[in-house]
Every structure is written in structure tokens, then in C-alpha cells.
Amino acid sequence: MEIYIVQTGDTIDTIAENYGVSVESISYINQIPFPYALAIGQAVLIDRGDETAPTREVQANGYAYPYISPWVLSQTLPYLSALLVFSYGFTTEGELLPPAVSDENMREAAAQAGRDSVLTLTPFGPDGQFNNNLIHQMLISSSARERLMDELLATMPTKGFAGVDVDFEYILAEDRDLFTSFVAELRRRMNENGYRVSVALAPKTSANQSGLLYEGKDYRGLGEAANEVLLMTYEWGYKYGPNMAVAPINKVRQVVEYALTEIPSEKILLGIPNYGYDWILPFIRGESEAVTIGNVEAVQIAIANDAQIRFDELSQSPFFNYERDGVLHEVWFEDVRSLQSKYNLLEEYNLRGIGVWQIMRLQRAMWLLLESRFTIR
């Protein structure tokens, strides 16, 4: 695979001719619809037909909601190690709550594709937001903890799950050790019955990092407690925050380097964002709200507005500006260049693999680039 950056005057035909490949191949890989319009600065992935087999194995997990498009799911499953069903909840008494929309079809699709399904456990309150009081009430009650673990264990064989992914966010600092103990006990019981346990970790850069997102997560303790961990290395640029890269590589690297001081590399999955944001400028904290967009959609927005895509070297992320109806916008997203820089970390630090948040939109080039470099186990 080779990455080409579109220049002034390029067409898909001239690019195809220069590389000796078909227009159809470039269109398919990069999801470029007819009549094959391109944006200046667009990164295009080219398959040059090199049959060299990758030697390094990695794990590739992807989160999805039960209402995922069957077509998107079918296109993505061949590249996954495991499909993480988002999400199951629980009550303060430890009753396990299934998703509001049935996950049966996605679990069946995964099984037919020979891929594992994993139950993602989240502490969502009635408002659909992470609820640290719900976490607290469950953790301090031995009966609630036991009931939740019993119901999780009973659900594994009945629904064909291969394990549990624990995604608790905004854990109170006072609940840190209780949460670590919960994950350790859950892993013990699950492993005894042939199931695995993973845990999602907020992107810390030091052990004593302050803030509600970080204080309840003990990297060393959770690294020992779980079979594997996911570093949630995204959301520096986020819906209510300032316009910037979603997953700047300089920040991502800091998280990985800290994590490696606490957790073995073979347990670490690197979080990969499969989305971008469109901000209206100027950004006003407390008022501004970015629109979530897909990475393929971002390129189409640039084309529709005759915007040139630029690439920030520090964050290793693409971005562009455009004006619509007199309003200035700024878009940051992920392309094969930014993904390549993240995949490089897998090699550099010998990480276990990746976890993609989330696979509701298809970016085919993301998976083909990964597959060209690694064997997905």
C-alpha cells in the first residue's frame, strides 16, 4: 500500500495511470463515488499489488451499537478480531440490563463471520450519560457486585459472548480501589469459565493525574486485574471543546509511554477514533458544539466546499476550513496518514493491537492499511 496526496490538476484517472492500477481499485479502497471528485490535499491509499505477507500479529476490536447498518457490519467484520457490543447496563442492585435495541442480529453476524462478540458493560444512568453514583452504589454493595457478576457469567453462554469489556468512566477517586478489585474478581470468575475481561482506560499521562476522568483509574492495578486494556486515546478534540485534532499523535504517544511504565505492552490496545468533528468558528466555550462526522464524509465536505485539506505535522492529523452561508467552519478528522502514524506505535512499542471507537461508519482504507501491515489475529 502507498499513500498519495492529491495535487492541483490530479484526477482519479491520472493517478491510476501513474501507479498502473485501475480507477475502480482507487475508488473502492477510498470510497470515492462517481464522478470521482477529489480534494486538493486528500490522502489516497493505493494498492500496488505487493503480496508480501505481514509478519506481526495484532488484535483489532471494534465497538458498535446494535442499530449498526448490516451492510457496514458485513464490510467491517472480516477485519475484526472481536465485535464489542455497546452496551449492557446495570442497576444499583446489580441487575444486568440488555441494550434497548436487540443485539441478536449483530451477534449472529459476528458468529457467521467467525468473529467473537464481547459484551461491553457501561454505567449509564436514565439520561444516557455515565453515572458515577451508579458505579459507587454497585461497588459498595457486596450483594450488588455478586449479582452483577453472576448475571454476566450466565449471559456469556446464552448469548455467545467471548468476554466482557468494562467501560466505566468518571469513577470517583474514593472508588478507585473498589473498582480495581471488582475488575480483578470479575476476571477471575470469567477466566475460570473460559471468558476474558478487558477494561477501558482514560488517557492518563501520569499516575497522579488530577481530574474526574482520571483519578478513579489505577493503571497498574487495572493492568494486573484485566486480561487486556484499551487506552482511550481520542477526544482531545471533542464535541464541546475547542477545534483541534481528535487524536493528536504527540498526545497519544505520551499516554502510551506512561501506560508502558505500568502495564505490559502485550496487554495494551491502542484506541483509534473512526470519526471527526466539524466546528463553527470562532469557538466559544460553553456555547459551541461541534458536529460529529465520518472520515469519508469529511473529505466529501471538503470537495463540496472546494476546500484544500492540510496536514498538521505536530498532531499528524488532517484538517481544513470552509465557509458556508457566511459562517466559517473548521474540520479535523482521520485519514490514512494519521492512521499510519498511530499504526507505527503498534510496531514501535510492540502493543497488542487496536480498539476502534466506533465502527458505525465504514472507512475501508483504515482497515486495508492495517491489514497491509499486520496479520489480524
Side-chain angles (χ1 to χ4, degrees), residues 243 280-284 288 328:
N243 44 304
I280 289 176
L281 301 183
F283 169 78
I284 303 172
S288 295
L328 184 62

Side-chain angles (χ1 to χ4, degrees), residues 59-61 230 269-272 343 346 352-356 367 370:
Q59 184 172 324
N61 295 347
L230 169 71
L269 297 170
L270 184 68
I272 303 288
Y343 295 165
L346 301 185
R352 182 181 185 88
I354 65 170
V356 177
W367 299 108
L370 181 71

Side-chain angles (χ1 to χ4, degrees), residues 82-85 88 107 116-121 152-153 155-157 159-166 186 190-191 193-198 227-228:
L83 173 66
L84 277 62
V85 177
Y88 282 67
R107 287 187 284 104
D116 287 337
S117 291
V118 173
L119 183 156
T120 303
L121 184 69
L152 283 167
L153 197 53
T155 300
M156 296 293 105
K159 294 196 173 183
F161 285 120
V164 176
D165 177 64
V166 182
L186 180 62
M190 286 290 169
N191 286 183
N193 290 275
Y195 307 110
R196 295 179 65 82
V197 171
S198 57
N227 294 111
E228 60 200 44

Side-chain angles (χ1 to χ4, degrees), residues 4 25 69 100 115 138-139 141 147 151 153 163-164 179 224 259 266 270 295 325 336 343 348 351:
Y4 177 74
S25 172
S69 154
R115 300 297 185 265
M138 184 274 291
L139 290 177
S141 169
R147 180 180 179 183
E151 295 196 9
L153 197 53
V164 176
F179 176 63
E224 294 173 354
E266 63 269 19
L270 184 68
N295 295 320
D325 300 326
V336 285
Y343 295 165
E348 183 178 350
L351 303 182

Side-chain angles (χ1 to χ4, degrees), residues 29-98:
I29 292 170
N30 298 281
Q31 295 166 262
I32 303 172
F34 184 81
Y36 309 130
L38 301 172
I40 305 301
Q42 177 181 350
V44 177
L45 188 64
I46 310 289
D47 183 359
R48 305 203 63 172
D50 183 1
E51 296 298 326
T52 303
T55 56
R56 169 86 196 284
E57 289 188 348
V58 298
Q59 184 172 324
N61 295 347
Y63 289 91
Y65 292 91
Y67 52 84
I68 185 173
S69 154
W71 180 82
V72 170
L73 184 59
S74 70
Q75 293 291 301
T76 308
L77 277 170
Y79 306 106
L80 292 182
S81 307
L83 173 66
L84 277 62
V85 177
F86 199 86
S87 67
Y88 282 67
F90 58 92
T91 66
T92 54
E93 293 77 29
E95 178 188 2
L96 184 65
L97 303 175

Side-chain angles (χ1 to χ4, degrees), residues 273-350:
N274 182 34
Y275 61 93
Y277 287 112
D278 185 335
W279 283 269
I280 289 176
L281 301 183
F283 169 78
I284 303 172
R285 186 169 294 280
E287 297 182 19
S288 295
E289 181 176 336
V291 175
T292 307
I293 57 174
N295 295 320
V296 175
E297 180 186 359
V299 174
Q300 293 304 311
I301 291 172
I303 293 169
N305 292 278
D306 198 26
Q308 178 173 339
I309 297 172
R310 293 177 285 169
F311 192 74
D312 180 69
E313 292 296 336
L314 177 62
S315 66
Q316 289 285 292
S317 298
F319 71 102
F320 61 90
N321 295 96
Y322 71 96
E323 188 173 320
R324 181 184 294 168
D325 300 326
V327 177
L328 184 62
H329 292 247
E330 185 160 294
V331 172
W332 289 82
F333 65 107
E334 299 289 327
D335 67 8
V336 285
R337 291 171 294 181
S338 62
L339 292 166
Q340 182 88 291
S341 70
K342 295 172 178 62
Y343 295 165
N344 288 343
L345 296 182
L346 301 185
E347 289 273 20
E348 183 178 350
Y349 295 111
N350 198 33

Side-chain angles (χ1 to χ4, degrees), residues 158-176:
T158 60
K159 294 196 173 183
F161 285 120
V164 176
D165 177 64
V166 182
D167 184 3
F168 287 15
E169 299 183 29
Y170 305 105
I171 301 167
L172 298 173
E174 64 192 84
D175 291 333
R176 183 179 106 148

